[in-house]
Every structure is written in C-alpha cells, then in structure tokens.
Amino acid sequence: MHRSGEGVSVNSRVAAGWFRKAAEQGHASAQLNLGLMYYNGEGVPEDDSAAARWFRKAADQGDTDAQFSLGLMYRRGEGVPEDDSAAARWFRKAAEQGLASAQFSLGLMYRNGEGVLEDFVQAYAWFNVAGAQGHVNAREAKDDLRRQMTASQVEKAQALSRELV
C-alpha cells in the first residue's frame, strides 16, 4: 500500500521494509517486489546483485515474473555474470508456464543461437505461442523467420506450437 499510495502516503522506503519482512518469510510476490525495488533503486539503493538474489528466491518458487526478470539479468549480465545459457533456462521456466514475454525471449534465443543451439523450428514455435497471446513483436518475428524456413520446417514448428500450449 505504501508503494502505490493506497490509503496511505506513498513511501517507497517504508514499502521496501514491509516487502523485506514478507520476503524473508518466504513470500514469493514480496521477494519479486523487493527485487524490483532494488533493481530500480526504489526505496532502497539500486543494487543489481540484491535484485538478482531476491528474484532467484521468487523464481525458485515458480514466480514467472521473477523467472523472466532473472533471465533478463543473466542475458544482460546485471547483478550476475552474463550467461545466455542461464538466461534461456529461466526464460524457458516462465515460457512453459505461459508468460508471453518469456516465450518471445526464448524464441529470440533459439533464432539467434544464444544460450541454446540455433533452431528455427523452436524459435518459430515459441514466437507463434507468444503471438497467439497478443505479443506483437512475436508475431512480427515469426513472420520474418518464416521467410527463412522451408515449408517442412514451418509445418514442424506449427505442430510443436500446438504441443506447447
């Protein structure tokens, strides 16, 4: 409530304190929010390492937003060593739970062969699934990729897309 000013004045420092109490008790949503506060320097000093630690705690509990955020941090080398393989693993965890932004990001990893072997069929399938959820960039990426694929590859990718949903 202090973070958004619902019924109380906005106070990020107080909000961070309450999120910390809940996060230390294992609440995944509080861990995610505290990670975001450290990442953005909101109510606490900006600290990518602390953000990554809190994201990992929430991600290990299955929080898709934390999994995606941790994937981004590994992709960029923020607070953790840059590691495309780790980024792809975290994106996959969130993608398999239906997070469109993670599905798109995983598709990019497959398209570019970053952290995974280049695989246009996998890339197309993940773009297709993300696009079906309304991810505009995924639709465009799928259409661009299709021009580089054979008809057989597109057919395999479409079949894989159906398995992924």
Side-chain angles (χ1 to χ4, degrees):
M1 296 178 88
H2 279 285
R3 188 174 191 196
S4 60
E6 294 178 43
V8 293
S9 61
V10 172
N11 188 324
S12 296
R13 189 182 55 73
V14 171
W18 285 110
F19 280 133
R20 178 177 303 284
K21 288 178 188 290
E24 288 172 348
Q25 293 177 42
H27 294 276
S29 62
Q31 293 165 342
L32 169 66
N33 280 301
L34 189 56
L36 289 169
M37 294 186 88
Y38 273 109
Y39 186 78
N40 295 315
E42 183 184 348
V44 293
E46 187 175 320
D47 184 340
D48 288 346
S49 295
R53 282 192 307 276
W54 287 111
F55 287 153
R56 179 176 296 278
K57 288 178 183 294
D60 285 341
Q61 293 187 65
D63 186 286
T64 57
D65 291 325
Q67 291 167 340
F68 178 69
S69 296
L70 193 55
L72 288 175
M73 295 192 82
Y74 274 108
R75 183 89 170 96
R76 299 172 182 157
E78 296 175 332
V80 294
E82 187 174 324
D83 183 343
D84 286 343
S85 294
R89 282 193 307 276
W90 286 110
F91 288 154
R92 177 175 295 280
K93 287 178 182 289
E96 288 175 345
Q97 295 183 74
L99 188 66
S101 53
Q103 293 165 341
F104 173 69
S105 294
L106 187 57
L108 289 175
M109 304 290 284
Y110 275 111
R111 184 190 70 195
N112 300 326
E114 297 168 333
V116 293
L117 293 176
E118 182 183 274
D119 186 332
F120 285 179
V121 170
Q122 285 279 337
Y124 182 101
W126 285 111
F127 289 153
N128 197 32
V129 171
Q133 294 191 73
H135 196 290
V136 177
N137 292 337
R139 290 180 187 157
E140 293 173 13
K142 179 188 77 166
D143 292 342
D144 289 342
L145 187 58
R146 176 183 223 137
R147 292 189 271 280
Q148 301 175 50
M149 297 171 68
T150 66
S152 174
Q153 287 176 310
V154 171
E155 187 177 310
K156 287 178 187 172
Q158 289 173 336
L160 179 57
S161 298
R162 289 187 291 277
E163 293 175 21
L164 294 174
V165 289

